[in-house]
Amino acid sequence: MSVDELAGPVAGAVAHKNLGALVEALALVPVPERPVLVLAGHGTDSGPLAAPAHALGVGGDVRCVGAVPQPELEDLYAAASLLVTATRYE
């Protein structure tokens, strides 16, 4: 994977979506293969994921963008190389 590749879920920052696990998993991906993890959804831009990302050394590879309007969301899906999820339940 090149650094230009995007991965991401679209999920609110709620406990059962388990977004922190995605940040932890990103830290396990070797730098040359690491995509940019885009966290889109209500509450993802409020800060609770940025601190762990920086602590794990992947702060520069995580984008917490918050809620995204529908047209931009479609562009985000189109730009993503892969869609990831760590949701525990729905």
Side-chain angles (χ1 to χ4, degrees):
M1 247 180 239
S2 74
V3 358
D4 296 329
E5 295 197 74
L6 301 178
V10 175
V14 292
H16 73 276
K17 294 296 185 177
N18 203 21
L19 298 178
L22 296 177
V23 174
E24 292 171 7
L26 186 67
L28 300 175
V29 178
V31 174
E33 298 172 15
R34 187 178 296 157
V36 172
L37 177 63
V38 180
L39 300 173
H42 293 284
T44 58
D45 57 343
S46 64
L49 298 164
H54 286 288
L56 291 167
V58 294
D61 299 310
V62 176
R63 308 290 185 277
C64 300
V65 299
V68 177
Q70 187 63 35
E72 291 176 32
L73 185 60
E74 291 172 11
D75 291 341
L76 184 59
Y77 276 127
S81 301
L82 61 142
L83 187 64
V84 294
T85 185
T87 300
R88 293 182 175 136
Y89 61 88
E90 280 301 321

